[in-house]
Amino acid sequence: MVALASALRPSVTLVAQQHTERVVRGMGSDPARATELVILGVDHSAQLVARAYHPGYLRAFFDRVQPAAICIERAPDEFARGDFYEFTYEQQYVAVPYARAHGIEICPVDWLPSRDDERLAFGRMEVVDPPAVRQPNGFQGFLAMDSTSLRRTLFYADSEPTRGETRAFFDAPRAAGWRDFPRRLDLYRTFMQAMRIRAAARAHPGQRVLVVVGSMHKDDLEHVLAGDPAIHLVQPSTFGLPDSSQADAQLAAEDLAAIASFNLLGAQPTEGPIDWAWVAAALDRFERLRGTTSPEVRLLRTRYAVLTRSLSAANAAAAYERIAQDADSAARFTFTGVQDTRRVDSYYDPFGNLTIRQRAQLETAREWVRAGHADAARRVGAQLKRDAHWSALGSAE
């Protein structure tokens, strides 16, 4: 029986392949059976800084598209473990919850090199595991957006200038040695994303599939998939831009908390521009939901006042001390962005895994230093170290 099965396997495979080809040809000859594929290129987490690009715009757009499936930029194995890229707000905090709330199938379509291959290329687990002490900025540094991200709108990736930037990267002349590895890797990675997207499209004939993916992949994905007769590519911009009232209605409390914390507590205040009017509006709306007495709201309000230079260092330190006294020791921020709970930090915030009380103590010490009271700062710092239960990794940070 084993020998018979081995002898039949090539013919069985051939029959299956011919059947698949007939199905695909049938889809191509009948436009109604082709899958509409919409590839929305995104700027990862720029939704937290750009007012015209905030998370509500994505949800309002999803409402217009009404997809049967949403493809996300995560590999299947990692997605099955609930493991996301830490810096992709639009994936784990917008696309995935939206799909689950609306009963939409989620298709993880990213591709990653094996850990052995990554170690061969980088010499260590460069992409997967950030170092115990992150870089202050740049690759594996804390996330900060530039002025280009601040001006993002929903369909920027459809534009020819954006497409041109990615083509210039992918089509650049081969560089010598290791310097060409990122280009070669992303070419292969994008091709494998396309193959997984193609499989998702073929699983939904005659329906619409939405892909939410980093904008650098969009143009090449469309180039690879354009010749597939089972797929009909549709540009996101054809659905029209949701107006601001529709988008604002889709903002959740978690979005408002993320916008406020990223711009006030993360690296953004020192590394990038901030739309202060937008942050103030988000903070006002968050306060209406949480209340003026919330320690979280009070801390964010105090930090906003410090950064906008409307509160002196000594007064800020006193305000933070009161917040630390009032906050429950276990109370945490609505949004932290933390993936690895052993760490103190996340890509969004160097101290993202602190409780509200701990963060208030940290900010108290920082403001006492700024006010010239080093002894008071040391006292608060010693209390923070004494009261917290740090992991080995958190202590290293």
Side-chain angles (χ1 to χ4, degrees):
M1 292 296 290
V2 173
L4 178 61
S6 299
L8 288 176
R9 188 175 296 121
S11 60
V12 170
T13 302
L14 179 60
V15 169
Q17 181 179 343
Q18 290 171 342
H19 172 73
T20 301
E21 289 173 352
R22 284 197 299 273
V23 170
V24 172
R25 283 199 299 270
M27 290 177 184
S29 62
D30 180 6
R33 296 289 292 165
T35 305
E36 284 192 354
L37 186 65
V38 183
I39 301 179
L40 180 70
V42 296
D43 186 353
H44 296 312
S45 293
Q47 302 84 19
L48 302 182
V49 296
R51 185 171 196 159
Y53 190 54
H54 68 59
Y57 280 94
L58 272 70
R59 296 191 187 96
F61 173 71
F62 297 167
D63 283 348
R64 293 189 175 199
V65 176
Q66 296 186 338
I70 297 178
C71 298
I72 63 165
E73 191 178 349
R74 200 61 175 125
D77 287 348
E78 283 72 20
F79 175 74
R81 296 196 301 269
D83 179 359
F84 293 93
Y85 295 120
E86 198 174 55
F87 46 82
T88 51
Y89 187 90
E90 74 289 338
Q91 305 285 344
Q92 60 262 44
Y93 299 106
V94 183
V96 169
Y98 181 95
R100 287 172 174 162
H102 291 80
I104 298 170
E105 183 179 350
I106 303 169
C107 302
V109 297
D110 202 6
W111 176 90
L112 293 172
S114 71
R115 290 204 162 201
D116 285 342
D117 288 345
E118 190 178 330
R119 189 178 287 109
L120 275 173
F122 288 108
R124 62 184 187 278
M125 303 309 298
E126 184 100 8
V127 175
V128 177
D129 299 325
V133 179
R134 295 185 198 252
Q135 300 297 319
N137 49 48
F139 180 62
Q140 290 195 320
F142 296 109
L143 195 62
M145 304 292 174
D146 60 17
S147 57
T148 300
S149 294
L150 204 69
R151 296 191 298 269
R152 289 294 190 216
T153 54
L154 191 59
F155 304 134
Y156 81 93
D158 290 9
S159 70
E160 191 56 36
T162 300
R163 292 176 181 275
E165 290 176 8
T166 58
R167 288 172 190 161
F169 171 71
F170 283 131
D171 298 340
R174 288 182 294 174
W178 184 90
R179 290 184 298 121
D180 204 36
F181 176 71
R183 184 186 69 87
R184 291 170 182 260
L185 174 62
D186 277 327
L187 274 170
Y188 190 75
R189 176 186 172 198
T190 302
F191 187 87
M192 294 307 295
Q193 288 175 347
M195 296 302 98
R196 284 178 169 158
I197 291 168
R198 183 179 66 170
R202 291 180 174 182
H204 297 84
Q207 297 178 294
R208 184 177 292 148
V209 172
L210 171 66
V211 180
V212 181
V213 68
S215 58
M216 72 167 292
H217 302 290
K218 173 182 165 69
D219 186 74
D220 201 41
L221 286 172
E222 292 178 344
H223 177 76
V224 172
L225 295 168
D228 193 318
I231 292 174
H232 173 54
L233 289 167
V234 179
Q235 292 305 316
S237 51
T238 62
F239 292 91
L241 183 67
D243 63 40
S244 59
S245 61
Q246 293 171 324
D248 289 351
Q250 296 269 19
L251 274 172
E254 291 76 14
D255 301 322
L256 300 167
I259 291 165
S261 65
F262 180 75
N263 285 280
L264 299 177
L265 304 180
Q268 192 66 21
T270 56
E271 299 293 331
I274 293 177
D275 182 343
W276 289 109
W278 169 229
V279 173
L283 190 51
D284 287 344
R285 187 165 167 178
F286 186 59
E287 184 180 90
R288 290 194 293 272
L289 293 173
R290 290 290 191 264
T292 57
T293 60
S294 159
E296 179 180 13
V297 170
R298 289 163 55 198
L299 189 148
L300 292 169
R301 282 282 184 206
T302 304
R303 181 67 174 155
Y304 180 90
V306 168
L307 292 172
T308 55
R309 304 181 188 280
S310 59
L311 189 66
S312 70
N315 287 337
Y320 284 130
E321 283 189 330
R322 290 191 293 270
I323 295 167
Q325 292 167 3
D326 295 342
D328 184 279
S329 61
R332 292 193 168 272
F333 289 92
T334 303
F335 173 80
T336 66
V338 172
Q339 286 272 70
D340 186 346
T341 55
R342 299 171 302 166
R343 301 183 66 96
V344 171
D345 63 0
S346 73
Y347 275 107
Y348 294 98
D349 180 356
F351 305 101
N353 204 22
L354 297 185
T355 65
I356 295 172
R357 175 182 289 180
Q358 290 168 345
R359 187 56 182 258
Q361 292 172 323
L362 175 73
E363 298 297 340
T364 299
R366 176 150 53 186
E367 294 307 312
W368 280 134
V369 168
R370 203 161 64 91
H373 298 291
D375 289 343
R378 281 192 289 269
R379 170 182 55 81
V380 177
Q383 181 183 359
L384 175 59
K385 291 179 181 178
R386 183 176 62 252
D387 293 346
H389 299 285
W390 306 109
S391 68
L393 182 56
S395 299
E397 294 180 84

